[in-house]
Amino acid sequence: MDGKVLTVIIGMMIVTYIPRMLPLAILSRINISKGLLNWLSYVPVAVLSALLAPEILMKDGQLQINLSNTYLLAAIPCFIAGFYSKSIFLTVVTGMVTVVLLDKFI
Amino acid sequence: MVRSEIRSELKEGIQAALPVVFGYFPIGMAFGVLAVQSGMTTFEIFLMSLLVYAGSAQFIAAGLLAAQASIGTIVLTTFLVNSRHLLMTASLAPYVRNINAKLLSLLSFWVTDETYAISMGAVVKQQKSKWYFWGLFITSHLAWLSSTVLGSVMGNFIPEPQRFGLDFALPAMFIALLVLQVRHKKAIAVIVISAALSIGIKLNLAGSWNIILATVISATIGVLIDKWMEKSSQSLSA
């Protein structure tokens, strides 16, 4: 097994476990400051958007905002499915099916 | 607790995991297929699913590993992506005071987006014992392990995963998680700013710095918007 992959897995394990564990372990004893909590409340939307935008708006390192970008087109029904179903499963399936259909017909 | 109560709570937890199991299978299999194609072995995929257990971070890590990103970049990006769980377990904390802190620290390992949603839905209605959570969490984790390993085995036989839309599984999951996280209009401003920054930085800077920089800057702008709105509402009322 690759030593780099093992190091990555252990590092990921630690930084994934700590945010899950800390509030349940210490929140009853320590109060996090309101300002930090407010900043943290913006991190999820910020990071998800930072990850998503290049995936659907760029292709091969170039900005691609046009109708030949199937990912961008598929994102539209995906957002609608997410908004109405609030289900990760249904949103993912909608996205995957749309991409397959777009690849077939465009 | 008597034995019959333990058994019924355990059973209830396992049943509550069913929607999570259905949700994990397509995503887990998509991850397995793509991770194999980006150079990971089935054993590495199994180990990652066992020890990290975080869908979107695992996708990102597989992509970054294939792109030869540094260990630091992968771990820091994982931290930012998974920091959202901090707020989830924080909101869960008041409802699980019946379970001791040590055991909660252990159980928190299994809090994912999906198991959080199920847990929260259950505890706001009625207090749940540790047995409910064991049932829910272990069943869900087994589904994640088996689906990602199954996907990695299939990945060796699927030459073109894009034909099945598998490579859109990750962006679609980001969209789902993003929609679930939006609770007020200010969040939309942060989303737009972060998207623009992420692309702007990616176009001008090599590596994966766009994610970390865009996140930190746009979250800070979010806080500044809050401060600014607070001030203007104060001056209006004054």
Side-chain angles (χ1 to χ4, degrees):
Chain A
M1 184 170 162
D2 194 334
K4 184 185 176 185
V5 177
L6 187 64
T7 314
V8 163
I9 290 175
I10 292 169
M12 287 175 71
M13 177 180 84
I14 295 166
V15 299
T16 302
Y17 177 57
I18 289 173
R20 286 174 177 171
M21 176 268 289
L22 271 185
L24 285 172
I26 62 161
L27 208 68
S28 46
R29 280 168 266 169
I30 300 168
N31 285 318
I32 309 176
S33 85
K34 225 182 146 192
L36 181 62
L37 216 57
N38 191 28
W39 189 79
L40 284 172
S41 75
Y42 283 112
V43 170
V45 285
V47 73
L48 288 167
S49 178
L51 286 161
L52 175 67
E55 294 272 350
I56 59 173
L57 296 173
M58 286 173 73
K59 221 169 202 178
D60 309 318
Q62 299 282 318
L63 206 56
Q64 286 277 335
I65 305 181
N66 52 51
L67 290 176
S68 66
N69 183 348
T70 46
Y71 277 22
L72 182 57
L73 294 179
I76 298 163
C78 233
F79 267 108
I80 296 169
F83 184 78
Y84 285 103
S85 72
K86 304 273 180 219
S87 151
I88 299 175
F89 170 69
L90 284 176
T91 311
V92 170
V93 170
T94 302
M96 285 164 69
V97 170
T98 312
V99 163
V100 170
L101 291 177
L102 285 172
D103 279 341
K104 273 222 168 82
F105 297 110
I106 292 185
Chain B
M1 250 180 144
V2 281
R3 208 185 226 165
S4 64
E5 277 177 329
I6 293 175
R7 196 176 297 160
S8 85
E9 283 263 319
L10 203 59
K11 199 176 150 198
E12 201 190 329
I14 293 169
Q15 281 171 346
L18 285 183
V20 182
V21 173
F22 285 121
Y24 277 174
F25 258 87
I27 299 168
M29 284 171 63
F31 166 72
V33 171
L34 294 177
V36 156
Q37 310 230 325
S38 67
M40 288 176 74
T41 65
T42 297
F43 180 68
E44 289 166 349
I45 290 164
F46 167 78
L47 206 63
M48 193 182 260
S49 294
L50 180 73
L51 299 176
V52 182
Y53 186 32
S56 41
Q58 288 183 225
F59 268 101
I60 296 159
L64 288 175
L65 276 170
Q68 306 290 330
S70 71
I71 295 171
T73 303
I74 302 174
V75 173
L76 192 55
T77 307
T78 300
F79 176 68
L80 286 173
V81 172
N82 288 340
S83 64
R84 68 182 186 280
H85 295 136
L86 196 84
L87 296 149
M88 293 183 183
T89 50
S91 69
L92 207 52
Y95 296 98
V96 288
R97 293 242 158 94
N98 55 314
I99 302 169
N100 77 58
K102 246 190 204 146
L103 182 60
L104 279 180
S105 310
L106 177 66
L107 285 172
S108 65
F109 175 83
W110 287 278
V111 177
T112 66
D113 301 296
E114 290 85 353
T115 60
Y116 163 77
I118 302 280
S119 305
M120 201 65 195
V123 292
V124 293
K125 278 187 224 134
Q126 195 195 358
Q127 197 165 68
K128 296 290 174 202
S129 75
K130 61 185 172 188
W131 299 107
Y132 172 87
F133 290 106
W134 281 122
L136 168 65
F137 288 169
I138 298 302
T139 311
S140 304
H141 198 183
L142 285 175
W144 180 247
L145 277 171
S146 42
S147 61
T148 54
V149 168
L150 187 65
S152 78
V153 173
M154 282 170 51
N156 296 310
F157 304 102
I158 300 178
E160 294 170 82
Q162 60 272 21
R163 272 186 49 210
F164 303 93
L166 286 175
D167 49 355
F168 194 69
L170 182 64
M173 189 157 60
F174 290 154
I175 291 173
L177 294 173
L178 193 58
V179 171
L180 290 174
Q181 291 282 345
V182 175
R183 292 197 190 83
H184 45 69
K185 281 185 193 142
K186 278 176 285 180
I188 294 173
V190 172
I191 288 171
V192 174
I193 294 166
S194 185
L197 280 171
S198 175
I199 286 179
I201 295 166
K202 201 180 169 88
L203 286 172
N204 294 296
L205 206 64
S208 306
W209 281 102
N210 60 312
I211 297 156
I212 294 158
L213 288 175
T215 302
V216 171
I217 299 169
S218 60
T220 307
I221 293 174
V223 173
L224 292 176
I225 294 174
D226 278 335
K227 288 228 165 95
W228 176 74
M229 282 175 71
E230 227 170 85
K231 238 180 225 162
S232 63
S233 71
Q234 269 169 6
S235 61
L236 272 178
S237 59

